[in-house]
Amino acid sequence: MKLTRPARRASLVVHVTATAGWLGLTLGLLALGITATATGSAVTVEASVRTMKLFADWLLLPSAFLTLLSGLLLSLGTPWGLARHRWVWTKFWLTLATTTATVFALRPGVNSAVAAVAAGGALPDAGDVLFGPVVSLSAYVFMTVISILKPWGPTRRGRRFRAASSGRTKIPTPVS
């Protein structure tokens, strides 16, 4: 199934907007995490981690899922394909991994920081509020770079598809 030109353009706009939002939210989380770990004010720490919780609970997951779904739609509905080019395949798996990490690592880390600070304690571990945003930001920048540069060429499946669609058949080379 191939997307029509208007559908492809709309999907691309949704995908780029969702990924830009996800990147921006992650930068915001990193700024809040740095603020929470670098300040000496208990009020500022609490405000920072509570805002991080708000971002993680209400904004980050919808952006992540919209990015994943719009990327799948684009890959399956355009000639790029999901498994025809290594850069698309890599982006898919990194998006899936970062979405999973958001659910099972980042959100629980932020929630534990909020619980500790709300109970009147200090920030238990700076890693709870810094590690997730740093890893996520690194992954998003890498995915942006490979989206622009499109390195590595086609996958084995992509080479077979290209050969079949051009009418050529690959003749096996004899083994010596």
Side-chain angles (χ1 to χ4, degrees):
M1 170 188 82
K2 295 297 174 207
L3 295 172
T4 63
R5 185 174 186 196
R8 186 183 74 244
R9 286 179 155 193
S11 299
L12 184 60
V13 167
V14 168
H15 184 67
V16 170
T17 303
T19 56
W22 200 8
L23 179 64
L25 286 167
T26 302
L27 284 169
L29 285 170
L30 183 59
L32 289 165
I34 291 170
T35 300
T37 57
T39 188
S41 166
V43 174
T44 304
V45 170
E46 185 171 2
S48 295
V49 296
R50 284 187 183 275
T51 305
M52 289 181 78
K53 180 172 174 41
L54 179 72
F55 278 23
D57 287 348
W58 294 102
L59 301 172
L60 209 55
L61 284 179
S63 294
F65 287 123
L66 188 57
T67 297
L68 184 63
L69 293 175
S70 61
L72 270 174
L73 178 65
L74 281 168
S75 67
L76 296 174
T78 64
W80 289 110
L82 181 59
R84 292 184 193 156
H85 298 273
R86 287 186 181 99
W87 71 272
V88 176
W89 194 235
T90 302
K91 275 186 62 177
F92 168 73
W93 286 107
L94 278 174
T95 302
L96 192 60
T98 52
T99 301
T100 303
T102 296
V103 172
F104 295 109
L106 187 137
R107 288 182 69 218
V110 169
N111 288 337
S112 71
V114 168
V117 170
L123 190 64
D125 182 14
D128 285 344
V129 295
L130 288 177
F131 185 70
V134 167
V135 170
S136 297
L137 185 60
S138 301
Y140 306 151
V141 169
F142 177 72
M143 287 187 276
T144 301
V145 168
I146 65 174
S147 293
I148 294 167
L149 300 179
K150 297 172 180 48
W152 309 315
T155 61
R156 188 178 310 146
R157 182 179 190 276
R159 285 190 300 271
R160 282 195 313 260
F161 181 81
R162 185 179 291 165
S165 66
S166 69
R168 297 178 294 153
T169 57
K170 187 175 179 181
I171 301 171
T173 56
V175 178
S176 314

